[in-house]
Amino acid sequence: MINNYLLFSLVTAVAGIIYALFLISKILKLPTGNKQMNEIAAAISEGAKAYLNRQYKTVFVIALVIFVVLFFLTGFISSLAFAIGASLSAAAGYIGMNISVKTNVRTSQAATHKLPQALKTAFAGGSVTGLIVASLALIAVTSVLFLSLIGNNLFTFNTLNLVTLGFGASLISVFARLGGGIYTKGADVGTDMVGKIEKGIPEDDPRNPGVIADLVGDNVGDCAGMAADLFETYVVSAVAAILLGSLAFPGETAVFVYPILIGGVAIIASIIGTFFVKLGKDQGIMKALYKGLIASSILSAIAFYVLTNTLFVGSTYVDPLKLFIASLVGIVTTFGMVFITEFYTSKSFSAVKNLAKASETGHGTNIIAGLANSMKATAAPIALISIAILVSYWAGGIYAVSVAAMSMLSLAGIVVSIDAFGPITDNAGGIAEMTNMNSDVRKVTDALDSVGNTTKAVTKAYAIASAGLAALVLFASYTEELTKRGANIQFNIDNPYVLVGLFIGAALPYMFAALAMEAVGKAGMAIVSEIRRQFKEIKGIMTGRAKPEYGKAVDIVTKAALREMIIPALLPIIVPILVGYFLGPASLGGLLVGTIITGLFVGVSMTTGGAAWDNAKKYIEEGNFGGKGSFAHQAAVTGDTVGDPYKDTAGPAINPMIKVANIAALLIAPFII
């Protein structure tokens, strides 16, 4: 029976991949514009592939060392599971990036036919990434379950295989999010500082030597990094739910397979949901995108009801109705995070408008207002997550919390589709600017890009919220693992070892974020020096008689990003190991709780605050408070520069960092008791 359930999940995942391939074939048939547009698109594609290839080569060395260590410590299947998690996470990012750089120029061309066609093209490209992420994640979990159950049953299979699968996905994710984030914001900040502030030229001006590096960054950070991040979040949420179910209800097939079946039916719902994304009469872009999310959510909820009542009918250990309520909690939490994030980041609401107004009185007041907005933006999400935990816990204990987390992540197919359309439209606008396309085209791409800023912020907040739920479940799995091995440890705060662990864990997200911010600064300084050199040494760039050396700027920021990502990425692996080894399992448990709590606050604050700074600048550029070139605009550019590493580097990388720490703790639990 269990093999039939696993087979169903595989079939739905394969269906998602087949539909993604169908979308790719349609996208590739679309017109790509003139020769100049194609040359720029080719340069972006070449730079993105070069960076990602070098990044994966660097990470491969680290992953190979870990694979060998796991092979000798845990056996072949567990090390193979690690390899599956790492390789499919990398594949999700690579495929997403490749389709993004093929869709950008086609979106620019589609914008010549007005907004509906451009939205359709960009969203098709985003849908490929979304469906690939969800499908590959489900394939990863299901295939490792198949491997684990060969020659075993639900009572004897090795749960360590699932832990190493999650570790492999998390390892790639933290490097991809961090490295891509350092690249994209180092290039963005450096390019803007010299171009906009020193030379007074527009964003995406072809005279700027860093402009290609900036456009490359949109793909390696916001597409490849985001895809690997959501892949990992999906995998870890599924792993956490299955682990907890197997520990709390050993041998119960329904509890064991329920998480992956939720993922399977939601992929089909996400495919159907993509058909609902289209502009209606007098409808905005955001509403068009939300129609797809609403349709997918309703279909998923119906499927969850049927699935829950079928699997748990007559169950003596789970109330089917309450478990269904827990699955609805995940969907409701997703919508809650969407609307809260939009309130704090969209140009349509007061938070961004007030931030733009604060720019009228200078750079300092813009920064003060932006920091205040980022801090205020944490309260509502934390309240929502707290309510979600309490309601789902009431529905069925900590296992129901894991179901809520998996329900949230089951919508990754459609949520990532909405997100991945953002970097595509950002690149499309850059191509339109660099090739001097009609101003009407730029109006279309600007409108799409502005919405893309909000959807990217929404997805980051969605990922962090689900990470909070998943990390709580992973912590519960850690305590269950200790109990299973005979260690009866109470995590009381009057225990100095627990308290010290809490302090260390609480400091970890701050140290991680600080290192990430510093890395962006160093990468930015490197490209600033290169851009200044080119303006100085290559005569005729400003007049258009000479062409900048785009490739050198791409190479410099690539080297800087890869060099700077290593230490912060290893931090959430090394610190838990050291704490567990020297201070013991009680301190390690305290560290996990501390990391979860401050990580949620830091992550939400940075991602939301940075997006608000960006859209405040765009709100002014539309003609408000003096428009482009005004004093308010100059202050807003400064705020946007500060917000860039907030929203695209440090903030989103907190998400995989939280789960890497928890997975590392689960891995070393058997060795520290």
Side-chain angles (χ1 to χ4, degrees), residues 11-54:
V11 168
T12 55
V14 170
I17 290 176
I18 290 172
Y19 183 65
L21 292 174
F22 167 72
L23 288 176
I24 291 172
S25 68
K26 288 185 66 176
I27 291 168
L28 295 180
K29 292 176 183 176
L30 295 174
T32 58
N34 58 40
K35 181 181 178 182
Q36 189 181 6
M37 292 169 64
N38 282 277
E39 286 176 353
I40 293 169
I44 296 170
S45 178
E46 183 181 345
K49 288 177 182 177
Y51 170 79
L52 219 55
N53 288 338
R54 286 165 72 170

Side-chain angles (χ1 to χ4, degrees), residues 20-21 23-28 45 49 92-107 121-130 132 219 223 420 424:
L21 292 174
L23 288 176
I24 291 172
S25 68
K26 288 185 66 176
I27 291 168
L28 295 180
S45 178
K49 288 177 182 177
Y94 203 86
I95 294 169
M97 183 276 294
N98 269 288
I99 194 60
S100 179
V101 297
K102 292 185 183 301
T103 309
N104 54 15
V105 69
R106 291 168 170 83
T107 302
T121 303
F123 183 72
S127 298
V128 172
T129 302
I132 287 292
N219 297 289
C223 193
I424 292 171

Side-chain angles (χ1 to χ4, degrees), residues 139-201:
I139 286 173
V141 176
T142 308
S143 61
V144 169
L145 285 176
F146 264 124
L147 288 172
S148 301
L149 291 170
I150 294 175
N152 299 298
N153 56 49
L154 291 182
F155 295 96
T156 62
F157 92 102
N158 187 2
T159 56
L160 189 61
N161 299 340
L162 292 173
V163 177
T164 55
L165 167 69
F167 186 51
S170 296
L171 181 76
I172 296 297
S173 173
V174 74
F175 277 106
R177 253 307 187 192
L178 194 57
I182 293 168
Y183 181 103
T184 185
K185 290 304 109 178
D188 193 358
V189 169
T191 302
D192 283 354
M193 283 176 66
V194 181
K196 287 183 180 179
I197 297 174
E198 295 182 14
K199 295 295 182 181
I201 58 178

Side-chain angles (χ1 to χ4, degrees), residues 196-456:
K196 287 183 180 179
I197 297 174
E198 295 182 14
K199 295 295 182 181
I201 58 178
E203 187 173 357
D204 299 325
D205 192 298
R207 293 172 293 178
N208 194 325
V211 69
I212 294 295
D214 185 10
L215 294 172
V216 167
D218 294 331
N219 297 289
V220 300
D222 290 333
C223 193
M226 178 276 300
D229 181 3
L230 267 296
F231 173 93
E232 176 262 354
T233 306
Y234 190 114
V235 166
V236 170
S237 296
V239 164
I242 294 168
L243 281 176
L244 203 58
S246 64
L247 290 169
F249 309 103
E252 295 292 350
T253 302
V255 171
F256 186 82
V257 299
Y258 187 55
I260 60 170
L261 293 178
I262 284 177
V265 296
I267 285 178
I268 303 302
S270 294
I271 292 173
I272 297 171
T274 61
F275 291 98
F276 287 81
V277 177
K278 56 183 68 175
L279 283 170
K281 288 184 179 179
D282 302 321
Q283 269 193 338
I285 301 166
M286 191 65 83
K287 288 184 179 178
L289 295 171
Y290 282 168
K291 284 193 295 186
L293 178 60
I294 291 168
S296 298
S297 300
I298 292 172
L299 291 171
S300 293
I302 294 169
F304 293 167
Y305 180 79
V306 174
L307 185 63
T308 308
N309 280 284
T310 302
L311 276 177
F312 296 99
V313 61
S315 173
T316 58
Y317 52 93
V318 172
D319 183 336
L321 179 59
K322 285 186 175 181
L323 201 59
F324 170 65
I325 291 172
S327 71
L328 291 184
V329 167
I331 295 175
V332 172
T333 304
T334 298
F335 275 92
M337 291 303 298
V338 166
F339 293 130
I340 291 168
T341 307
E342 186 178 355
F343 175 80
Y344 283 104
T345 61
S346 172
K347 294 181 297 182
S348 303
F349 296 100
S350 60
V352 168
K353 291 179 180 178
N354 291 338
L355 180 51
K357 183 170 179 57
S359 305
E360 282 190 304
T361 49
H363 302 258
T365 47
N366 172 279
I367 298 300
I368 292 168
L371 289 173
N373 183 62
S374 70
M375 292 177 186
K376 285 196 298 184
T378 62
I382 295 301
L384 179 65
I385 293 168
S386 300
I387 293 169
I389 290 171
L390 292 174
V391 173
S392 53
Y393 189 85
W394 162 83
I398 196 67
Y399 176 71
V401 177
S402 73
V403 168
M406 188 59 206
S407 172
M408 277 191 76
L409 266 300
S410 71
L411 296 173
I414 189 68
V415 173
V416 174
S417 298
I418 293 171
D419 176 284
F421 123 107
I424 292 171
T425 58
D426 197 346
N427 266 205
I431 292 170
E433 180 76 24
M434 292 185 71
T435 55
N436 296 311
M437 295 179 75
N438 190 293
S439 60
D440 289 340
V441 173
R442 187 69 210 222
K443 285 180 182 177
V444 170
T445 58
D446 279 351
L448 291 169
D449 183 29
S450 180
V451 170
N453 279 329
T454 299
T455 61
K456 286 185 286 186

Side-chain angles (χ1 to χ4, degrees), residues 86 114 136 283 451 565 615:
K114 304 302 179 186
L136 287 181
Q283 269 193 338
V451 170
M565 75 177 182
N615 275 340

